[in-house]
Amino acid sequence: MARPNQARLDLAALRHNVGVARALAPQSKVMAVVKANAYGHGAVTIATELDGLVDALAVACIEEAVELRDAGVSAPILLLEGVFEARELATAAQLGFWVSIDNEWQLQWLEDAIVPEPVHCWLKVDTGMHRLGVAANRTEEFFRRIESNANSSGEPVIYTHFASADDVASEQTRQQLQVFDAVCANLPAQRSAANSPGVLAWPEAHYDWIRPGYMLYGNSPMAAPHPNAQALQPVMTLTSAVISLRDVPTGEAVGYAASWTASRPSRIATVTIGYGDGYPRLAPNGTPVLVNGQRAPLAGRVSMDMITVDVTDVPGVRVGDTVVLWGDGLPVAEVAGHVGTIGYELTTRMPARTPRIIIER
Ligand SMILES: *Cc1c(COP(=O)(O)O)cnc(C)c1O
């Protein structure tokens, strides 16, 4: 028997989630964010499935965009951090990538570049997150310089990014929207602001383009349960299997550093997945997994290749039984909550060691 670990990818769920985003923002075009290997799902698989279904794709950098073009993906691809050096602009022009202009250095490179054809630009405005983007009061100056430059094609799209949109009570999002509306007011530009939480919870932020990432993978980015997130279906289900079973008497400890001790006669299942397979080492005792569809708590430290699970309350567990670490029936965000991180990190860190398997449905 082969090692049973799989990151199962449900592409029907991916298509369904695109539909959820479109239904929430029917007037907007959809730019699907597939950076960081499509949040760990596999960028070529995901982008190939989305090609033609969405209006554009977005990645962090040109290396990620080239990988997709090489794989035959034909959609426009925005480089969200723009270029890191001037000579990338010629490649971007050649391969039809769109580039973000985030600062004066990138604008200068664009103005000085010799490119085979003009490049479509997105101008990023810093409306309060203070990470990337041009100062709000310089938006018009940057916009005019880009649109009048022969190396730029079409009107630049003006966009911004939210810091706290996952919190529906956030004043910061309202303030960012105010700044954004003010700087765009007199410019003949398409606009974009909404990441996944913006799509789900801030209809006033939908504008001409939405930029969902995380929600397309079927997970809710919201800090609290949100009705618009309920229809999402997880794309990745991480599965493994029981490889060993034992009875542990009261008072005996399990695993490295003896961090879990049986408080009753316990049945412990050893599952062949660990931090070397993308399951977080910091998952504490009590983190839920599904054994034969039933919840059972982690018992003992996560090892590189294994975890141990208390299946005392799950009847009839046998070697070979399927274990779900997250996905269908167990949201990755819930697991991440136990670990003190977000679901984004758990899927994005999935190593190549764990095979991605496309399931048909
Ligand atoms: C990553 C990213 C997104 C997508 O964010 P999600 O929360 O995954 O939807 C959108 N816009 C920009 C600029 C990003 O960097």
Side-chain angles (χ1 to χ4, degrees):
M1 180 180 117
R3 194 156 182 254
N5 297 348
Q6 296 185 341
R8 298 185 186 173
L9 301 179
D10 180 349
L11 299 181
L14 178 70
R15 296 191 299 270
H16 166 86
N17 298 331
V18 171
V20 171
R22 281 213 189 274
L24 287 169
Q27 315 297 333
S28 309
K29 284 174 276 190
V30 178
M31 171 177 278
V33 181
V34 297
K35 62 195 179 195
N37 199 25
Y39 297 44
H41 292 67
V44 169
T45 303
I46 297 294
T48 302
E49 190 68 22
L50 292 173
D51 205 9
L53 195 63
V54 297
D55 303 285
L57 299 167
V59 295
C61 59
I62 201 163
E63 291 81 358
E64 293 180 337
V66 167
E67 183 193 14
L68 299 182
R69 273 289 178 275
D70 284 349
V73 172
S74 62
I77 305 173
L78 175 65
L79 313 181
L80 287 167
E81 292 178 27
V83 296
F84 298 86
E85 49 182 332
R87 60 184 180 158
E88 292 173 24
L89 285 166
T91 311
Q94 210 169 8
L95 296 180
F97 303 151
W98 298 351
V99 301
S100 182
I101 301 289
D102 293 340
N103 54 53
E104 58 204 80
W105 303 279
Q106 288 176 329
L107 178 54
Q108 193 66 55
W109 292 337
L110 180 76
E111 289 174 338
D112 296 345
I114 296 168
V115 288
E117 48 195 304
V119 186
H120 181 51
C121 297
W122 281 43
L123 170 59
K124 187 176 226 177
V125 182
D126 180 2
T127 57
M129 181 156 176
H130 301 323
R131 185 182 62 178
L132 280 184
V134 304
N137 63 7
R138 296 188 65 192
T139 308
E140 177 158 8
E141 171 201 339
F142 272 80
F143 180 84
R144 299 289 176 211
R145 274 174 67 185
I146 297 169
E147 75 162 348
S148 63
N149 191 280
N151 287 338
S152 130
S153 91
E155 302 286 353
V157 174
I158 304 181
Y159 81 114
T160 194
H161 195 54
F162 292 130
S164 308
D166 58 319
D167 173 6
V168 291
S170 164
E171 271 311 309
Q172 190 178 15
T173 304
R174 269 176 268 279
Q175 286 162 4
Q176 288 194 263
L177 281 166
Q178 265 177 22
V179 173
F180 191 59
D181 285 335
V183 299
C184 293
N186 299 316
L187 297 174
Q190 292 187 22
R191 307 176 198 187
S192 176
N195 53 359
S196 294
V199 173
L200 290 165
W202 300 88
E204 63 273 53
H206 288 168
Y207 299 106
D208 301 286
W209 286 90
I210 55 171
R211 306 189 311 273
Y214 192 60
M215 69 175 285
L216 299 182
Y217 307 104
N219 308 309
S220 174
M222 304 306 294
H226 192 282
N228 289 345
Q230 270 165 13
L232 297 172
Q233 299 173 358
V235 174
M236 179 193 291
T237 296
L238 179 63
T239 67
S240 183
V242 175
I243 57 164
S244 186
L245 282 158
R246 72 205 56 239
D247 293 308
V248 174
T250 306
E252 286 290 307
V254 172
Y256 283 124
S259 76
W260 183 90
T261 303
S263 60
R264 57 176 177 170
S266 301
R267 187 87 172 139
I268 297 295
T270 303
V271 179
T272 181
I273 194 161
Y275 62 82
D277 309 294
Y279 192 80
R281 182 175 173 280
L282 293 179
N285 291 327
T287 304
V289 307
L290 300 179
V291 182
N292 295 335
Q294 277 197 49
R295 278 174 184 249
L298 206 62
R301 286 270 164 88
V302 174
S303 306
M304 185 182 289
D305 310 309
M306 285 172 275
I307 56 173
T308 38
V309 177
D310 178 2
V311 294
T312 314
D313 297 327
V314 184
V317 176
R318 296 164 57 170
V319 164
D321 284 354
T322 297
V323 177
V324 170
L325 290 312
W326 61 66
D328 195 12
L330 182 58
V332 68
E334 182 183 339
V335 177
H338 286 265
V339 183
T341 184
I342 53 177
Y344 291 70
E345 184 178 11
L346 296 191
T347 64
T348 301
R349 284 181 164 233
M350 184 63 47
R353 186 192 203 196
T354 301
R356 274 69 167 173
I357 306 291
I358 296 168
I359 56 166
E360 304 296 339
R361 134 168 116 79

